[in-house]
């Protein structure tokens, strides 16, 4: 095995060990599409297109992963969604 292959294996192994969490947004009968879209743009830094697509997925499927990353980054974002009256959790 060459040195280059060994280094590549080590890099791949390190990438697999990073724990990725997700914020899952749930459908409700209270919030409007506009409110959900605006909140996703503000809190999760979505583009208008991303926010609209997520709101439609939530509406039709009941839930949607709206952000993926490390827990420390997701926790304040999830709290922001909850403060805005949306239903979300980190998984």
């Amino acid at each position: 095995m060459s040195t280059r292959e060994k280094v590549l294996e080590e890099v791949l192994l390190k990438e697999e060990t990073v724990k990725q969490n997700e914020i899952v947004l749930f459908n409700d009968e209270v919030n409007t599409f506009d409110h959900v879209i605006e909140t996703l743009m503000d809190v999760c830094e979505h583009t208008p297109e991303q926010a609209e697509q997520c709101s439609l997925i939530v509406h039709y499927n009941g839930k949607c992963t709206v952000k993926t990353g490390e827990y420390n980054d997701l926790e304040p974002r999830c709290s922001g969604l909850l403060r805005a009256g949306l239903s979300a959790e980190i998984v």
Side-chain angles (χ1 to χ4, degrees), residues 2 6 8 13 22 24 26 29 32 35 37 39 53 56 65 67 76 87 90-91:
S2 72
K6 187 179 265 187
L8 181 58
L13 182 60
E22 301 174 338
V24 178
F26 296 96
E29 301 299 321
T32 65
H35 177 66
I37 291 167
T39 303
Q53 287 181 347
L56 289 170
T65 297
K67 196 76 172 175
S87 179
I90 299 175
V91 293

Side-chain angles (χ1 to χ4, degrees), residues 18-86:
V18 174
K19 176 71 172 142
Q20 293 289 305
N21 296 94
E22 301 174 338
I23 297 177
V24 178
L25 182 64
F26 296 96
N27 191 32
D28 62 41
E29 301 299 321
V30 179
N31 293 293
T32 65
F33 279 98
D34 288 340
H35 177 66
V36 173
I37 291 167
E38 289 293 325
T39 303
L40 288 173
M41 289 189 309
D42 290 341
V43 174
C44 295
E45 300 177 6
H46 282 201
T47 65
E49 294 82 9
Q50 286 175 307
E52 183 177 359
Q53 287 181 347
C54 285
S55 69
L56 289 170
I57 292 169
V58 168
H59 178 73
Y60 288 110
N61 293 346
K63 64 181 180 178
C64 177
T65 297
V66 295
K67 196 76 172 175
T68 302
E70 294 184 28
Y71 185 87
N72 291 339
D73 177 52
L74 298 182
E75 197 277 326
R77 294 178 190 274
C78 188
S79 295
L81 295 174
L82 296 173
R83 278 192 304 275
L86 303 182

